[in-house]
Amino acid sequence: DGTPIELKTPADSIRVGIALVTEDRKQTGLSLTASVAHNITIANLPHYTRLGFLDETAEHKSVAEQIKRFSIKVASPEQPVQRLSGGNQQKVVLARCLDAGPRILICDEPTRGVDEGAKREIYAFLSAFAAEGNSVLMISSEIPEILGNSDRIIVFRRGRIAGELPGSEATQEALVHLAS
């Protein structure tokens, strides 16, 4: 909103409306042995506590809404997230991010290791999120993913901006040229 911000912790980012879908969901995006429900609500836990106690009704309601919103195929919200497919695990990461109500979603390789059906669902979600007036910053090494989902593309080379293209005018050749 035109105001510089200083972010020192993930909590600072969440507080100002920024969420991150990490590149490696198994290492940094999920607590694999924890339940789907826990993984969805952990980033927004203060929202579910009253006087130091967990409001389980509110938590269960939100988890059910996120499972439905993302069509997460799960036997139960208490199922360990490690038992889900890669695509459903990635949807849990997105659900966790959305549970905190961000306006900016940073997605680092958002479809790595998911099948084509899950990719389409994730792309549709990201498009709808942006259409609601929010922002998506997608970091991807997959040129077709970039071309199919970007309004604006900025190519970095050796840590510096090599060029910028409107998504509607970008081609694979132009991106490769800027990157090399």
Side-chain angles (χ1 to χ4, degrees):
D1 295 327
T3 305
I5 56 172
E6 187 172 324
L7 305 173
K8 295 181 179 178
T9 67
D12 291 343
S13 298
I14 292 167
R15 181 180 40 76
V16 298
I18 300 172
L20 171 67
V21 175
T22 64
E23 180 178 9
D24 187 340
R25 68 179 167 269
K26 290 184 178 181
Q27 292 294 317
T28 57
L30 295 168
S31 177
L32 291 172
T33 58
S35 70
V36 169
H38 176 79
N39 273 280
I40 289 174
T41 60
I42 191 66
N44 199 23
L45 207 51
H47 176 77
Y48 300 106
T49 55
R50 304 287 182 260
L51 302 171
F53 294 96
L54 182 64
D55 180 349
E56 291 181 7
T57 302
E59 183 185 37
H60 291 304
K61 180 180 178 195
S62 181
V63 167
E65 288 171 0
Q66 295 295 359
I67 287 171
K68 182 178 179 183
R69 178 181 199 177
F70 286 96
S71 301
I72 300 170
K73 293 171 184 67
V74 62
S76 158
E78 297 310 314
Q79 178 177 352
V81 78
Q82 68 188 358
R83 293 194 180 149
L84 301 180
S85 69
N88 283 298
Q89 287 179 356
Q90 192 70 354
K91 291 179 198 178
V92 170
V93 172
L94 284 162
R96 184 200 64 234
C97 289
L98 266 287
D99 191 57
R103 295 178 314 142
I104 300 170
L105 190 56
I106 302 171
C107 299
D108 191 356
E109 303 289 351
T111 61
R112 176 175 283 162
V114 303
D115 65 37
E116 288 302 316
K119 280 185 181 186
R120 284 191 299 277
E121 289 178 273
I122 291 168
Y123 296 151
F125 162 73
L126 295 175
S127 179
F129 182 77
E132 293 170 359
N134 300 302
S135 298
V136 176
L137 174 67
M138 182 188 296
I139 303 159
S140 179
S141 56
E142 295 185 34
I143 291 177
E145 180 168 77
I146 294 167
L147 292 173
N149 296 286
S150 301
D151 295 319
R152 183 171 65 147
I153 301 167
I154 300 174
V155 178
F156 285 80
R157 184 177 61 230
R158 295 188 194 106
R160 299 195 184 279
I161 294 176
E164 179 179 338
L165 298 167
S168 60
E169 297 176 18
T171 64
Q172 182 168 337
E173 294 77 22
L175 294 182
V176 169
H177 175 73
L178 287 171
S180 57

